[in-house]
Every structure is written in structure tokens, then in C-alpha cells.
């Protein structure tokens, strides 16, 4: 089994979207950026992926500047190229051209070789009532767990 160190998760993506499919992509970073990633200074909250001219890019992913990076630091919100096979990009382009599907980053992690990888999700936006339904299910599960814990404590 592949060992991976998760650096950043996008919890908001699971709240805002139904995830229909997942893809793993490499990401092109500079030297100071990978040092910041290894330090865990990454945010995926507002980020999204787009396909332009047969290549995939991720936008609005915030990688904080490396403290010892001085002049080698780059803009923390710059677009970054994602590395995928051509067939995968074509398939994802087909998904995106369908109504209502988008590409959202789900997590950023380091694989066993120390390379930064990003997990992309092909997502469909949730309606407000879907979000309320998910919150109600989560609340019901929390109440059942609490009730079960309290019953176990009395024995």
C-alpha cells in the first residue's frame, strides 16, 4: 500500500459538492514552494482546476512564502500546472463540458518519494436542501453516538 502524508484537505469541497470521480495529479512547484508544502503551509479552500489549451492548471491555491526563501519566493496564489496524461485530461474535459460538473481539489499530499500530489474530484454542486439534509444526518449520527456512550457508561 502506498504511504502518503496528507498536507492539506479541502473539507469545504465535501460540503459544497457531490464528488463523482477522483483523479491523482502531480503538481509543478518551485523549490521554495515545495519547502512550504512540506511545512504544511497550504490552503485549498478557494481553489479550483481548469483545463486550458490541453493543459490543466490549479487556481487560487495558497502556498505561503517560505521564511528563508527571500528573493526566490513566488506569488502565493499563482496558477500552477497539474501533471496528468493526455487521455485523462481529455476525459476530464468531457466531464467539465457536461452541465454542472467542475474540478475541485480534495487534498494535497506527499507520496513515498516526497513528490507533491493533488487529488482532484469531479464534482456536481449541491443545492441548499442537499446541504441541510447532510447536516441533519450528521446531527442524528452525533446524537446516536452520544446516547450509546451514555448507555455504556451506566454499565
Amino acid at each position: 500500500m502506498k504511504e502518503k502524508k496528507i498536507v492539506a484537505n479541502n473539507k469545504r469541497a465535501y460540503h459544497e459538492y457531490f464528488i463523482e470521480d477522483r483523479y491523482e495529479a502531480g503538481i509543478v512547484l518551485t523549490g521554495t514552494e515545495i519547502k512550504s508544502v512540506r511545512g504544511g503551509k497550504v490552503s485549498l479552500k478557494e481553489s479550483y482546476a481548469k483545463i486550458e489549451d490541453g493543459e490543466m492548471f490549479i487556481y487560487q491555491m495558497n502556498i505561503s512564502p517560505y521564511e528563508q526563501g527571500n528573493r526566490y519566493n513566488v506569488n502565493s496564489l499563482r496558477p500552477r500546472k497539474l501533471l496528468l496524461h493526455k487521455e485523462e485530461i481529455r476525459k476530464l474535459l468531457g466531464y467539465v463540458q457536461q452541465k454542472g460538473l467542475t474540478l475541485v481539489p480534495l487534498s494535497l499530499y506527499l507520496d513515498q518519494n516526497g513528490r507533491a500530489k493533488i487529488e482532484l474530484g469531479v464534482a456536481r454542486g449541491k443545492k441548499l436542501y442537499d446541504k441541510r439534509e447532510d447536516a441533519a444526518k450528521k446531527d442524528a449520527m452525533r446524537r446516536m453516538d452520544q446516547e450509546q456512550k451514555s448507555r455504556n457508561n451506566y454499565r
Side-chain angles (χ1 to χ4, degrees):
M1 186 174 154
K2 291 183 179 179
E3 184 179 323
K4 57 185 179 180
K5 177 188 171 200
I6 295 178
V7 178
N9 272 325
N10 190 356
K11 294 178 184 175
R12 187 174 178 184
Y14 294 101
H15 179 72
E16 300 281 333
Y17 301 100
F18 292 113
I19 308 301
E20 297 190 1
D21 204 0
R22 296 169 190 262
Y23 286 88
E24 178 184 72
I27 185 168
V28 177
L29 299 172
T30 64
T32 55
E33 284 178 323
I34 191 65
K35 289 183 179 194
S36 286
V37 167
R38 288 186 179 132
K41 304 216 162 93
V42 182
S43 173
L44 296 173
K45 279 185 183 172
E46 298 291 325
S47 58
Y48 62 96
K50 254 170 102 172
I51 299 171
E52 294 176 355
D53 300 326
E55 295 180 333
M56 184 165 311
F57 293 91
I58 187 165
Y59 294 92
Q60 298 298 316
M61 181 174 75
N62 187 4
I63 298 178
S64 298
Y66 183 58
E67 290 88 25
Q68 289 83 34
N70 58 42
R71 69 178 187 202
Y72 297 108
N73 281 330
V74 292
N75 182 6
S76 61
L77 290 175
R78 75 178 180 90
R80 294 168 180 92
K81 186 175 179 178
L82 298 180
L83 305 172
L84 287 161
H85 292 283
K86 283 183 183 178
E87 308 88 54
E88 290 177 319
I89 292 175
R90 283 191 205 114
K91 190 173 183 183
L92 288 171
L93 184 61
Y95 281 137
V96 171
Q97 288 175 344
Q98 290 178 10
K99 187 178 178 212
L101 293 177
T102 186
L103 298 169
V104 290
L106 302 175
S107 65
L108 179 74
Y109 58 90
L110 299 170
D111 66 2
Q112 69 265 19
N113 298 324
R115 294 188 183 107
K117 301 282 184 175
I118 195 157
E119 184 179 19
L120 287 175
V122 178
R124 185 177 305 278
K126 286 185 180 179
K127 304 287 184 204
L128 182 60
Y129 57 84
D130 290 328
K131 294 177 192 176
R132 287 181 183 157
E133 187 177 304
D134 284 350
K137 285 180 186 176
K138 197 173 183 181
D139 192 40
M141 290 298 289
R142 189 179 305 119
R143 286 184 187 157
M144 287 191 303
D145 288 345
Q146 286 174 348
E147 184 67 29
Q148 191 174 21
K149 282 181 185 177
S150 67
R151 287 184 183 190
N152 286 339
N153 288 338
Y154 289 121
R155 290 183 185 175

